[in-house]
Amino acid sequence: MSETKITIQETTNNTIIKYNSTSVLINGGSYEFNNIDEAKNSPLAQQLFYLPFVKKVFVTANFIAIQRFDIVEWEEVQEEVREQIAAYINNGNAVVNEQTTSKKEAIEVYAEVTPNPAVMKFGTNKALTQTDVEFKNIDEASASSPIAQAIFNFPFVKQVFISDNYISITKYDMVEWDEVYGEVRTFIREYLAAGKIIIKELPKEEAITSAENKAVKPTIALEGTAAQIVDILDEYIKPAVAGDGGNIAFRSYDEQNKVVSVILQGACSGCPSSTATLKNGIENLLKEMLPNQINEVVAING
């Protein structure tokens, strides 16, 4: 098993810092601990609370966020904490002792049509992932996501996109959604209720950032117009497209030509209405909020 790397990422809140992991820390969802008593099921969080400046610990599948008290600045202690987290994980210790039980968890799964007729969105009341993942085929899924791999066993499944609390599935034209969505919904509900693994390993970095699908990695600190674009996408655009089972990820900003490149994923990828949405919605909004900084928004299907 390869060694887990822990990297430091600053946030917009100077009291909070993120420690990103190259390996999956928990099986989907997230945990928030406000004190050492609340952290009884997380030995790592309990260990962190012994540090006198730790105020709050937040654990997700691929990062640990820590909020500090004002008695120190992060630059004084962040490297020491990074080393402590890395050593703990690489010693094979569990980050969170996730409860397993024979009693199935109460899970709700609902199906929603999307603007893309080839894509159906399956929403759920269970948190699935903190990092959006998309799979083009069963080979990609087999290395990362057991649930996506299982979904590809349906012969009509073309692509699978997993986000915060939903799964968007793209089908081939061999069937219509009204013929099969009930079976898929039941399968997803039973899979989640059984507490099976959702994401076992994050997709490899080289796969995420390959030539034509290269998105800016979250650990890269953006500045100026690029940072403003990302903030606008996150606040105004992503919630809307997530409602339709899709995602838009920032790729790059060409400052000389004032061109924004984004990646379309999930229901947005290949959607007949995505071009209109891009031009009439996203491009116009960016031009309005960042006057004289945007000439065009171009998209790449994820």
Side-chain angles (χ1 to χ4, degrees):
M1 186 176 180
S2 60
E3 183 181 73
T4 296
K5 303 292 185 183
I6 302 296
T7 57
I8 298 171
Q9 179 186 351
E10 295 180 354
T11 72
T12 55
N13 184 333
N14 64 12
T15 69
I16 299 175
I17 202 164
K18 287 172 62 177
Y19 292 92
N20 295 306
S21 170
T22 55
S23 63
V24 172
L25 303 175
I26 58 174
N27 176 30
S30 61
Y31 296 85
E32 183 174 325
F33 307 107
N34 294 295
N35 54 60
I36 197 168
D37 287 339
E38 289 185 6
K40 289 179 180 178
N41 66 328
S42 175
L44 175 57
Q46 284 195 317
Q47 182 174 306
L48 292 171
F49 275 116
Y50 279 109
L51 300 172
F53 54 83
V54 171
K55 181 178 182 180
K56 184 180 294 187
V57 178
F58 183 73
V59 180
T60 76
N62 69 316
F63 70 81
I64 297 167
I66 302 175
Q67 185 172 19
R68 63 169 173 80
F69 287 106
D70 291 336
I71 59 175
V72 296
E73 297 296 329
W74 271 120
E75 53 264 31
E76 301 170 10
V77 295
Q78 62 186 22
E79 180 59 27
E80 176 188 344
V81 176
R82 186 198 67 79
E83 292 176 356
Q84 181 175 331
I85 292 172
Y88 179 93
I89 293 171
N90 285 309
N91 282 334
N93 299 308
V95 175
V96 176
N97 294 319
E98 298 177 279
Q99 295 180 350
T100 57
T101 174
S102 58
K103 183 179 179 180
K104 288 188 175 182
E105 183 181 353
I107 296 292
E108 297 177 9
V109 175
Y110 57 91
E112 286 186 358
V113 297
T114 74
N116 187 340
V119 178
M120 182 73 74
K121 174 186 175 182
F122 295 89
T124 175
N125 61 335
K126 177 181 175 67
L128 304 177
T129 177
Q130 294 291 320
T131 303
D132 296 337
V133 289
E134 187 168 40
F135 306 101
K136 304 288 188 181
N137 53 57
I138 195 170
D139 285 341
E140 290 183 1
S142 66
S144 175
S145 172
I147 189 172
Q149 182 181 4
I151 290 170
F152 273 111
N153 287 325
F154 290 101
F156 51 83
V157 172
K158 183 179 181 181
Q159 293 178 196
V160 177
F161 175 74
I162 305 177
S163 190
D164 179 29
N165 63 343
Y166 68 88
I167 300 173
S168 288
I169 300 175
T170 306
K171 68 172 182 64
Y172 288 104
D173 292 337
M174 60 188 289
V175 295
E176 297 299 325
W177 272 119
D178 57 7
E179 301 169 4
V180 296
Y181 82 88
E183 182 182 2
V184 177
R185 181 180 61 188
T186 298
F187 171 80
I188 294 174
R189 183 176 65 243
E190 291 181 349
Y191 186 103
L192 297 177
K196 296 180 180 179
I197 294 174
I198 300 166
I199 307 289
K200 68 178 182 181
E201 183 177 341
L202 295 174
K204 300 299 182 184
E205 182 176 296
E206 57 267 25
I208 298 173
T209 60
S210 61
E212 288 304 316
N213 292 327
K214 186 175 181 182
V216 171
K217 293 178 287 185
T219 52
I220 295 177
L222 298 174
E223 298 178 345
T225 303
Q228 291 177 294
I229 292 169
V230 171
D231 289 341
I232 293 170
L233 291 177
D234 287 346
E235 184 172 356
Y236 297 97
I237 306 299
K238 285 192 175 186
V241 297
D244 287 332
N247 185 54
I248 293 182
F250 175 79
R251 176 184 177 186
S252 63
Y253 172 63
D254 183 338
E255 189 171 358
Q256 182 175 355
N257 297 308
K258 300 180 181 179
V259 175
V260 180
S261 295
V262 297
I263 295 176
L264 302 181
Q265 297 174 308
C268 294
S269 180
C271 176
S273 63
S274 62
T275 300
T277 300
L278 193 73
K279 295 299 179 182
N280 299 333
I282 302 168
E283 187 173 284
N284 287 346
L285 179 64
L286 288 174
K287 286 180 176 179
E288 179 181 341
M289 299 188 74
L290 299 172
N292 304 317
Q293 297 299 314
I294 309 296
N295 285 336
E296 185 182 14
V297 177
V298 297
I300 300 168
N301 287 336

